Amino acid sequence: MLLELLRVALGRCEVISRAPSEREWRMLHKDSVRQAVAGLCLMGIERLSANDPSLLANLPLDLKWEWIGLSEQIRQRNLHIDRQTAEIWNRLKDDGLDAAILKGQGIAQGYGTLAPYRQSGDIDIWVKGGYEKVCDYVRRTRPTDDVAYHRFHYDFFPDTEVELHHRPTLMRNLFDDRKLTRWYNSFDAGSFVYLEDKGFAVPSVEFNRIFILTHIYRHFLFEGIGLRQVLDYYFVLSGAKLTDQSERLKVTETLRSLRLMRFAEAMMWILHTQLGLEEQYLICGMAEKEGRFVLAEIEQTGNFGYGDSRYRYKYLFKLRRQMAHSLHLLIHYPSEVVWTPIWLIFHKAWKWNKIRKIKKSRR
């Protein structure tokens, strides 16, 4: 019923199949929070109110007001982060850096009238130029030791986390990561799209078709994803059709090269059958069996895996929980899971070396 409510919010249908009971409404609210889509679900409720008010007969008044209050918080937070995003992007531009806003506010504009009710997170910024250039800028402006293989934590706002990415994303299979690096380096700063109404630039749709999928894939394997990430990809793909056959072949080749085809076909099945995205917007074929498996995982884990209750060490040992989660997916996606122990050792050595150099440069 949560998916039905989201389809109403998206305008894919007018009503849901039946009127939920009071208990079901409370479960829907709880699940919408767990999946980080509460604001969007309220938009579905408002459309139901206009299309068939009888379907809301059992919606408790206290729950409705709670839902409205939460959605207003999401809307206000979005306005706030939009202003912050424009501020830091323009600061980077004035300092001579080419940058684009990744994920979050970078794709929220694709939501159209639903954009204010997309639950926002931190601000991720891709700064072109590679590690050394970004490291030098961070060292000169706001020094930090919080560095990872793909980003620096940048302490710019007191209430919003900012990450400067020298790599947009990564894969744990180091050979596939090299291919991914070549792919995203093929997009120069000239491919960034400036949004005049927002005051910052974002990557092109061509970039986001693959990038957002790799981002979802990584979190799916090692933490878990919620419907918010699925909806992000829905709006990325619905923004532009793949009409050119050569472009479609290019996307297919990239997916195969990065071993993403199986996951991509599962996502296409979810987007088409569960959210109503038309086939002309899909980037590849659909796989129902794998799609049902991925959807079941999404329902189980919730946003970034916070709702997953399958593992004993849910709170105390994050790494142990991530390993248990990824081993559960070994048969489905062996490449990334098998490479994980190697990647963790590699990343620890890489990070130790970089932090050592950063500290040495301060002396």
Side-chain angles (χ1 to χ4, degrees):
M1 295 191 77
L2 181 64
L3 287 165
E4 286 188 8
L5 194 56
L6 286 172
R7 284 198 294 272
V8 173
L10 296 172
R12 294 297 179 180
C13 59
E14 297 297 315
V15 294
I16 55 180
S17 57
R18 61 181 176 82
S21 66
E22 178 180 340
R23 179 174 176 272
E24 286 173 328
W25 274 119
R26 295 193 184 279
M27 290 173 65
L28 278 169
H29 177 265
K30 182 179 179 180
D31 276 349
S32 73
V33 172
R34 197 169 64 90
Q35 298 285 345
V37 292
L40 300 174
C41 284
L42 181 68
M43 297 301 100
I45 290 171
E46 289 190 357
R47 289 182 177 177
L48 284 180
S49 179
N51 298 335
D52 188 352
S54 66
L55 292 169
L56 305 178
N58 299 318
L59 176 61
L61 188 60
D62 66 305
L63 183 65
K64 181 179 180 181
W65 282 114
E66 183 180 346
W67 219 323
I68 290 172
L70 177 59
S71 299
E72 180 60 18
Q73 288 177 18
I74 292 170
R75 190 183 74 84
Q76 291 293 337
R77 177 70 176 162
N78 265 312
L79 291 172
H80 179 59
I81 293 187
D82 270 348
R83 290 191 292 267
Q84 289 182 325
T85 303
E87 180 183 345
I88 189 169
W89 183 87
N90 281 282
R91 174 68 64 85
L92 294 170
K93 180 186 176 185
D94 291 343
D95 290 341
L97 298 177
D98 295 315
I101 306 301
L102 298 171
K103 303 175 290 181
Q105 306 310 108
I107 57 176
Q109 45 88 28
Y111 277 65
T113 57
L114 295 175
Y117 299 97
R118 177 198 177 273
Q119 192 164 316
S120 57
D122 54 8
I123 301 173
D124 294 274
I125 310 173
W126 181 21
V127 180
K128 292 289 290 182
Y131 172 83
E132 293 299 336
K133 186 171 185 176
V134 178
C135 180
D136 179 64
Y137 180 75
V138 172
R139 181 182 58 80
R140 288 186 291 106
T141 54
R142 296 174 187 270
T144 181
D145 294 338
D146 190 350
V147 57
Y149 183 66
H150 61 304
R151 57 90 185 137
F152 282 86
H153 175 77
Y154 197 61
D155 190 16
F156 196 81
F157 298 112
D159 59 344
T160 303
E161 185 175 341
V162 176
E163 292 182 352
L164 298 186
H165 287 245
H166 49 91
R167 302 170 184 265
T169 186
L170 60 92
M171 300 190 84
R172 293 191 173 186
N173 180 322
L174 295 176
F175 293 103
D176 290 347
D177 184 66
R178 188 176 298 177
K179 296 174 189 175
L180 182 63
T181 300
R182 286 198 298 268
W183 174 80
Y184 64 63
N185 280 338
S186 68
F187 292 84
D188 59 22
S191 69
F192 296 164
V193 180
Y194 180 71
L195 306 177
E196 289 192 16
D197 59 327
K198 295 290 187 180
F200 53 78
V202 298
S204 64
V205 173
E206 292 73 22
F207 177 87
N208 276 335
R209 282 193 187 111
I210 301 295
F211 165 69
I212 297 299
L213 184 68
T214 61
H215 173 69
I216 294 172
Y217 181 58
R218 185 158 61 89
H219 283 293
F220 174 76
L221 289 179
F222 303 110
E223 293 173 304
I225 59 169
L227 287 172
R228 185 190 71 171
Q229 284 77 28
V230 178
L231 283 165
D232 283 351
Y233 202 41
Y234 170 96
F235 283 106
V236 166
L237 296 189
S238 65
K241 298 178 185 178
L242 264 175
T243 54
D244 186 79
Q245 188 61 27
S246 62
E247 188 179 8
R248 182 176 290 277
L249 287 172
K250 188 177 178 181
V251 170
T252 301
E253 288 173 5
T254 303
L255 292 174
R256 293 193 187 282
S257 173
L258 298 174
R259 304 177 215 261
L260 282 168
M261 185 58 78
R262 184 174 188 173
F263 185 70
E265 289 176 340
M267 287 296 297
M268 295 308 105
W269 180 85
I270 293 170
L271 292 173
H272 177 63
T273 64
Q274 306 302 306
L275 294 176
L277 184 64
E278 296 95 335
E279 288 193 51
Q280 63 261 36
Y281 292 99
L282 305 183
I283 61 173
C284 62
M286 295 178 280
E288 179 179 353
K289 184 177 180 181
E290 191 64 19
R292 290 188 183 279
F293 170 76
V294 172
L295 182 60
E297 284 295 306
I298 291 169
E299 291 172 347
Q300 175 71 43
T301 61
N303 191 45
F304 291 124
Y306 297 138
D308 199 338
S309 58
R310 289 176 293 185
Y311 310 116
R312 289 175 57 199
Y313 301 97
K314 181 179 176 183
Y315 300 107
L316 294 179
F317 302 101
K318 182 179 179 182
L319 180 60
R320 187 166 183 171
R321 179 172 61 85
Q322 288 182 359
M323 290 298 294
H325 178 75
S326 61
L327 285 172
H328 168 67
L329 303 172
L330 176 61
I331 295 175
H332 293 261
Y333 304 101
S335 176
E336 287 290 284
V337 176
V338 168
W339 268 88
T340 292
I342 300 170
W343 187 87
L344 290 173
I345 296 169
F346 162 78
H347 185 239
K348 190 173 183 65
W350 182 94
K351 188 173 181 177
W352 176 84
N353 184 50
K354 296 300 183 186
I355 292 175
R356 181 180 61 84
K357 289 183 177 179
I358 289 170
K359 290 180 176 178
K360 187 177 179 180
S361 69
R362 292 179 190 158
R363 296 172 186 168

